[in-house]
Amino acid sequence: MLDSHSVLRQIYGTPLGLLTDLYQLTMAHAYWKTGGAESEAVFHLFFRSNPFGGGYAISAGLDQVIDYFNDYQFDAADVAYLSELRGNDDKPLFEPGFLTHLKELQLQCDLDAIPEGTVVFPHQPLLRVRGPLIQCQLLETALLNIINFQTLVATKASRITSVCGDDPVLEFGLRRAQGIDGALSASRAAFIGGCAATSNVLAGKLFGIPVKGTHAHSWVMCFDNEREAFETYADAMPNNCVFLVDTYDTLQGVRHAIDVGQRLKERGHQMVGIRLDSGDLAYLSIEARKLLDEAGFHDAAIVASNDLDEQIIRSLKEQGAQISVWGVGTKLSTAFDQPALGGVYKLSAIKPTGGQWQPKTKLSEQAIKTSTPGILQVRRYFDDQGAQADMIFNELDGASDDCVMIDPLDPTRRKTFASDQKHEDLLTPVFRNGTRVCERISLAKIRTRREQQLQQFHSGIRRHTYPHQYPVGLETKLNELKTNLILQAR
Amino acid sequence: MLDSHSVLRQIYGTPLGLLTDLYQLTMAHAYWKTGGAESEAVFHLFFRSNPFGGGYAISAGLDQVIDYFNDYQFDAADVAYLSELRGNDDKPLFEPGFLTHLKELQLQCDLDAIPEGTVVFPHQPLLRVRGPLIQCQLLETALLNIINFQTLVATKASRITSVCGDDPVLEFGLRRAQGIDGALSASRAAFIGGCAATSNVLAGKLFGIPVKGTHAHSWVMCFDNEREAFETYADAMPNNCVFLVDTYDTLQGVRHAIDVGQRLKERGHQMVGIRLDSGDLAYLSIEARKLLDEAGFHDAAIVASNDLDEQIIRSLKEQGAQISVWGVGTKLSTAFDQPALGGVYKLSAIKPTGGQWQPKTKLSEQAIKTSTPGILQVRRYFDDQGAQADMIFNELDGASDDCVMIDPLDPTRRKTFASDQKHEDLLTPVFRNGTRVCERISLAKIRTRREQQLQQFHSGIRRHTYPHQYPVGLETKLNELKTNLILQAR
């Protein structure tokens, strides 16, 4: 299956082989030179704790990973650039033969991934990459960049939209986002996380996300008075009227909007609503609702914006704010209270050419930072109530019949399953030997998947304070393997 | 002057006209339809408070703004996309004539800007855009996106590199940055802020930033033991040896590095140093320094990384840590403790076709959010000690002879200058009528400018806790104009 249409390629005019840390290339050079390049390796991408102190995360970014795999390339200019890099003796860092290898490189990796929009938890591999060691290593940095950020923002959006219930949430973050693609990726991930639309028109075009927007304060300031500004706007855009009412005096602004809304009605149009962007949003929305209702505009929306996040929205709802649409920008698109997901990508097994698989673990003084060895899969068990627990097992050993899983941070915490219990394996094949083997999933379907997924879990995982800790454990043989490897190394 | 080579165009394969909020396009449509499109307007881009609770910011991003101006375009696919958008009556949002206007649009704006690498303060226009109202409005969102983020990261990097003194700081943020361009822009801005190099190879190629990197834990894990891993790496890359020593036991790792360093020396090469990435960096660096010195490796660098920021680095220095090179990633590239600069872009004057300039201010309940009217310029006054204060004045009225400036938030705070005092106007011409009129400045020169600029200021502005508040005020006539406009509106 060829992808005729790569969003990543549309966004980035340059090949992305060089989008990596230099140490990936120096290691690749060293593998190439010392004969280890073609050993088969397995790496997993995972995070160690849920972002925002929450009880879950929403996986996102896989579709860009697919584009990245498809377009993976070093072109002549890339190789020319690399040939100019020098070591501490001022001689070239890379040998010409290695650069030729890069230029001719065709990805032969297998990729398994948890589909986008899935509810995921710490320690679970979101991606599993298997292939020549040199290739797996070169992919690391870009995979982390793509998955870390989109998973972070999809999770943030999911937290925000969960608080908003059925109220639509609009993503307005472009102006404060971290770079152009920081904004585009955030718009995409926010939509996965449940947002209804974005203000970012390019994201709308590239990803098919609905776009929303009407006018700003500057529109109002260009006229002698607010009423004239609303009237002129309504004349020009009668089918897109949300009046921003807080340029001068908010409730006076609502009255002007009502006047112009009446004029619209007389001409066969309908005012969509008003927007509040400053002041006491609880008080102003309640008063605005009264004015709108008295004037017969029961259907007019009250949109609110101004540094909103899930905490402020919940507080406004508790205060009885009459806000029906939420515009969320900076706090969502930059994941303001935790602007990075600490996802990592760790080697977990290696098979030298002609040799056997050797499981690998990265030690650490902190147990949480010790990685899990093997070729991993995540099995989610269900009972009548929904998802019950996730068990990570090593495909090299298979899952035991005893159906016990062990907490990776506290081996005395265990959970047992019935051997015939309903389950689903989360990692699914995406690439085999560099060729895509799965269908691409539309963004709308991914967005629906998140909603359906969350229904499968106890609502306690969505709590913001002391959320329910959903059980994730290691299968017994895997736990034993990991323990033995740690003891051996120490 | 034509730019044959646009980095933005290299990065983004798609035109960026649609990189805007939808409301800019709906307002543009409404201006176009109701006759206001060609009024001349002036907008200023500024921020309201220094990021990170600091005493200054470093301007950055202008070179990408130049690319953005040069490449500004709506292509046929953009216009086709816009033609499909619908209003609440399911009829098209935009008229065909407006879409033709967009497709044929050629920027005619003037742009004045404070050069990159300048020390800047709240309320000062970093950009001033003057031209047809419709064009100024369409540019808003992308200008904010570019300037907000790069200024934020350049400032963060400047805080970090100031603490490090002469020690090089390496930017390692790609894997945790917010999207691909979040990483690329961060690498560029971090270099402006004083970083010596980046790990991001694509940023190295696109922006000419030095790149650094050697090997990761995964390299060590691929071998039976650490010593073998170091030896193999040294055989393959003898001119690029910084050994990561903390995969198993850090001080044992230092001893292995020393052994391999001796072998390198015997073969005519030089070990660059070692890297610590976990554990007690103060203790471990002191012990590692002793081991290296005892073995005669006095020049070997000790690189440290692991969630560093300016606070942790200062603390490590206070503890006598023997770290000579600092690798900083997530906390720098995402500006972790304040991941967005709240820059805004406000209309400040408008001149209807055939009419007079009308200064404009945006009111707010909060004085700090009331914008300054006029066509603004920033004049920086110097005395023997360096920069003394910045005065914002309105070019329509010129600067008064009384040489008094007034604090925008407290009109009783004033400062007087000698009329012959040395001064410099910070906003300089970049575009006139859509054509670039300044030379582009190399990144290396911008980086040097930041260093020189900081020397001009009292060191108190660099303090992290309760920094010196450098005085920025409004010229008297401008202050009067602003006050009168506020009183009129109220």
Side-chain angles (χ1 to χ4, degrees), chain A residues 59-340:
Chain A
S59 61
L62 179 60
D63 208 59
Q64 274 60 60
V65 167
I66 293 174
D67 279 346
Y68 172 72
F69 264 61
N70 281 336
D71 293 343
Y72 192 81
Q73 189 200 336
F74 295 87
D75 70 10
D78 294 339
V79 166
Y81 168 74
L82 292 176
S83 73
E84 288 162 18
L85 298 180
R86 293 286 178 273
N88 69 329
D89 56 1
D90 217 36
K91 289 184 186 150
L93 208 50
F94 299 113
E95 293 188 12
F98 172 68
L99 298 179
T100 305
H101 179 85
L102 283 186
K103 217 175 139 192
E104 291 169 357
L105 189 152
Q106 301 227 321
L107 277 193
Q108 297 156 276
C109 292
D110 292 353
L111 172 69
D112 293 81
I114 298 183
E116 294 190 270
T118 304
V119 172
V120 291
F121 301 96
H123 312 297
Q124 302 182 340
L126 305 186
L127 302 183
R128 182 177 87 193
V129 183
R130 174 176 175 166
L133 176 56
I134 188 171
Q135 296 191 7
C136 295
Q137 190 73 67
L138 285 169
L139 298 171
E140 171 174 6
T141 318
L143 297 183
L144 284 169
N145 176 275
I146 294 167
I147 297 292
N148 267 331
F149 182 54
Q150 290 202 42
T151 298
L152 183 74
V153 174
T155 307
K156 185 71 177 171
S158 183
R159 289 166 63 84
I160 292 170
T161 57
S162 291
V163 169
C164 293
D166 291 333
D167 304 341
V169 177
L170 314 178
E171 178 269 309
F172 285 168
L174 171 54
R175 63 188 56 203
R176 304 275 168 79
Q178 299 206 343
I180 294 172
D181 174 57
L184 291 169
S185 299
S187 296
R188 181 180 186 277
F191 188 67
I192 291 174
C195 286
T198 178
S199 67
N200 183 339
V201 187
L202 188 54
K205 178 189 165 205
L206 291 169
F207 300 118
I209 305 170
V211 288
K212 290 283 178 195
T214 52
H215 75 84
H217 296 114
S218 58
W219 174 270
V220 178
M221 288 161 65
C222 286
F223 293 83
D224 287 334
N225 61 66
E226 186 177 65
R227 210 196 128 111
E228 185 191 337
F230 289 174
E231 275 177 8
T232 312
Y233 183 83
D235 288 345
M237 303 236 59
N239 62 357
N240 187 46
C241 285
V242 176
F243 298 111
L244 177 60
V245 292
D246 70 334
T247 305
Y248 304 112
D249 173 301
T250 302
L251 295 180
Q252 199 55 38
V254 177
R255 290 186 193 99
H256 292 150
I258 288 171
D259 290 349
V260 179
Q262 303 284 16
R263 266 185 75 207
L264 276 167
K265 207 182 276 184
E266 288 158 18
R267 295 172 189 190
H269 298 290
Q270 195 187 357
M271 173 169 75
V272 179
I274 61 159
R275 179 159 72 96
L276 308 171
D277 189 42
S278 62
D280 182 333
L281 297 178
Y283 168 77
L284 290 171
S285 64
I286 292 167
E287 294 304 311
R289 185 75 269 159
K290 283 186 206 159
L291 292 171
L292 289 165
D293 285 349
E294 282 163 16
F297 288 98
H298 301 281
D299 293 338
I302 298 180
V303 187
S305 50
N306 190 19
D307 265 349
L308 299 177
D309 66 10
E310 64 270 43
Q311 315 299 346
I312 296 172
I313 292 171
R314 190 168 51 185
S315 162
L316 284 167
K317 286 197 163 267
E318 283 166 6
Q319 296 167 65
Q322 293 297 303
I323 294 164
S324 50
V325 180
W326 305 85
V328 185
T330 313
K331 299 287 170 71
L332 167 57
S333 299
T334 67
F336 200 86
D337 51 333
Q338 187 194 316

Side-chain angles (χ1 to χ4, degrees), chain A residues 11-12 21 26 180 199 214, chain B residues 11-12 21 26 180-181 199 214:
Chain A
I11 301 181
Y12 292 97
D21 292 310
T26 51
I180 294 172
S199 67
T214 52
Chain B
I11 302 180
Y12 291 96
D21 292 310
T26 50
I180 295 172
D181 174 57
S199 66
T214 52

Side-chain angles (χ1 to χ4, degrees), chain A residues 378-382 422-426 449 453 456:
Chain A
V378 185
R379 185 160 287 177
R380 179 160 293 170
Y381 285 93
F382 297 87
K422 194 184 145 198
H423 60 75
E424 183 190 345
D425 288 349
L426 299 187
R449 180 176 171 86
Q453 282 269 315
Q456 296 178 349

Side-chain angles (χ1 to χ4, degrees), chain B residues 70-89:
Chain B
N70 282 335
D71 293 343
Y72 193 81
Q73 193 200 335
F74 295 87
D75 70 10
D78 294 338
V79 165
Y81 168 74
L82 292 177
S83 74
E84 287 162 17
L85 298 181
R86 293 287 179 273
N88 68 330
D89 56 1

Side-chain angles (χ1 to χ4, degrees), chain B residues 24-337:
Chain B
Q24 313 288 9
L25 285 160
T26 50
M27 282 190 280
H29 179 257
Y31 288 132
W32 172 82
K33 204 167 146 70
T34 59
E38 300 306 316
S39 295
E40 196 174 353
V42 177
F43 284 76
H44 296 96
L45 188 155
F46 58 96
F47 58 89
R48 293 173 181 136
S49 55
N50 286 315
F52 317 114
Y56 70 100
I58 299 292
S59 60
L62 179 60
D63 209 59
Q64 274 60 60
V65 166
I66 292 174
D67 279 346
Y68 172 72
F69 264 62
N70 282 335
D71 293 343
Y72 193 81
Q73 193 200 335
F74 295 87
D75 70 10
D78 294 338
V79 165
Y81 168 74
L82 292 177
S83 74
E84 287 162 17
L85 298 181
R86 293 287 179 273
N88 68 330
D89 56 1
D90 218 35
K91 290 185 184 150
L93 210 48
F94 299 114
E95 293 189 11
F98 171 70
L99 297 178
T100 305
H101 179 86
L102 283 186
K103 218 176 140 193
E104 292 170 356
L105 188 153
Q106 302 229 320
L107 277 194
Q108 297 156 277
C109 292
D110 294 351
L111 172 68
D112 292 80
I114 296 182
E116 293 190 270
T118 305
V119 172
V120 291
F121 301 97
H123 312 298
Q124 301 181 341
L126 304 186
L127 302 183
R128 183 178 85 193
V129 183
R130 174 176 173 167
L133 175 58
I134 189 171
Q135 296 192 7
C136 295
Q137 190 74 67
L138 285 169
L139 298 170
E140 170 172 5
T141 317
L143 297 183
L144 284 168
N145 177 276
I146 295 168
I147 297 290
N148 267 331
F149 182 54
Q150 290 204 39
T151 298
L152 183 75
V153 174
T155 306
K156 185 72 177 170
S158 183
R159 289 165 63 84
I160 292 170
T161 58
S162 291
V163 169
C164 293
D166 291 333
D167 304 343
V169 177
L170 314 177
E171 177 270 310
F172 285 168
L174 171 54
R175 66 188 53 205
R176 304 274 168 82
Q178 299 206 343
I180 295 172
D181 174 57
L184 292 168
S185 300
S187 296
R188 181 179 186 276
F191 189 67
I192 291 175
C195 286
T198 177
S199 66
N200 182 341
V201 188
L202 188 54
K205 179 189 166 207
L206 292 170
F207 301 119
I209 305 170
V211 288
K212 292 283 179 198
T214 52
H215 75 83
H217 296 114
S218 58
W219 175 268
V220 178
M221 289 161 64
C222 285
F223 294 84
D224 287 337
N225 61 66
E226 186 177 64
R227 212 197 126 111
E228 186 192 338
F230 290 174
E231 275 176 9
T232 312
Y233 182 82
D235 289 345
M237 303 236 64
N239 62 357
N240 187 46
C241 284
V242 175
F243 298 111
L244 179 60
V245 292
D246 70 333
T247 305
Y248 303 112
D249 174 301
T250 301
L251 295 180
Q252 199 54 38
V254 176
R255 292 185 191 97
H256 292 150
I258 287 170
D259 290 348
V260 179
Q262 303 283 15
R263 268 184 77 208
L264 275 167
K265 208 184 273 185
E266 288 157 17
R267 297 174 188 187
H269 297 290
Q270 196 187 357
M271 173 170 76
V272 179
I274 61 159
R275 179 158 73 95
L276 309 171
D277 188 42
S278 62
D280 183 332
L281 297 177
Y283 168 77
L284 291 170
S285 64
I286 291 167
E287 295 304 311
R289 184 76 269 161
K290 284 185 204 157
L291 293 170
L292 289 165
D293 286 349
E294 282 163 15
F297 288 98
H298 301 282
D299 293 337
I302 299 180
V303 187
S305 50
N306 190 18
D307 263 350
L308 300 178
D309 65 11
E310 64 269 44
Q311 317 296 347
I312 296 171
I313 292 171
R314 190 167 53 184
S315 161
L316 285 167
K317 285 198 163 266
E318 283 166 5
Q319 296 167 66
Q322 294 295 302
I323 294 163
S324 50
V325 180
W326 305 84
V328 186
T330 313
K331 299 288 169 74
L332 167 56
S333 299
T334 66
F336 200 86
D337 51 333

